[in-house]
Every structure is written in C-alpha cells, then in structure tokens.
Amino acid sequence: MSETNRNRKMRRGAVVSNAMDKSVVVVVERKVRHKLYGKFIRRRVKYMAHDPANECNIGDIVLIEECRPLSRKKRWRVKNIIQQAA
C-alpha cells in the first residue's frame, strides 16, 4: 500500500536569502480576514528550502513543495523557479 504520488503541500513565495550552500529562505505571504473588523491582514511565513543546484537568487519567485526532513529546519524543496529576479 505504498503511494508514490502523494498530495504534497505547495507554496509560492519570494527568495529573501541564498547565503547558505544548497539552501534558500523563502517568504510566503497570504492575506487573512480579521474576525471582528473584516480588514485583510498580511501574514508572512519564512520557510527554509533545499536548492541542490544553487540556482535561486534573491528576489526570485519560486514554487516550493513539502518533503521529508532534510535537516533541523529544512522540510521544503524548491520545485521550480517561476520568475527570475530582474
């Protein structure tokens, strides 16, 4: 009963740091509606993602997917680069 094609979480975000070897920090932003006032609030989360080829640069828009734990903080992998930084 092993499934090879699991439904994995995907996130789209911007690379804010690539100082590490084979790792990048990706900021994912989402808008949440305030319960009482109804105003939309921006919520940001930083994910450390595995970039084995060191292809990502600061400002790139990337798609990351969930994977097994690769280190203490890395649980995401860069799937592809959607848009290169200008």
Side-chain angles (χ1 to χ4, degrees):
M1 187 157 187
S2 67
E3 287 187 30
T4 56
N5 189 10
R6 294 183 189 152
N7 290 333
R8 294 187 172 167
K9 294 178 188 174
M10 305 280 239
R11 302 283 187 262
R12 180 182 170 179
V15 176
V16 292
S17 173
N18 64 348
M20 299 156 285
D21 186 33
K22 297 183 181 180
S23 299
V24 291
V25 178
V26 179
V27 169
V28 176
E29 189 174 283
R30 64 188 176 98
K31 290 185 180 178
V32 179
R33 192 176 185 91
H34 192 280
K35 276 183 160 181
L36 180 62
Y37 300 114
K39 181 178 179 176
F40 283 97
I41 306 165
R42 280 191 233 157
R43 298 285 183 202
R44 293 185 188 99
V45 180
K46 286 184 180 179
Y47 295 106
M48 281 192 66
H50 186 60
D51 180 24
N54 285 326
E55 296 173 334
C56 297
N57 293 315
I58 296 173
D60 289 353
I61 306 297
V62 295
L63 185 69
I64 58 175
E65 75 172 346
E66 196 176 32
C67 65
R68 66 183 177 85
L70 300 169
S71 70
R72 186 169 69 101
K73 293 184 181 179
K74 282 200 296 189
R75 274 97 171 103
W76 296 83
R77 181 178 291 130
V78 174
K79 187 161 175 106
N80 61 4
I81 299 172
I82 297 170
Q83 182 181 351
Q84 295 276 340

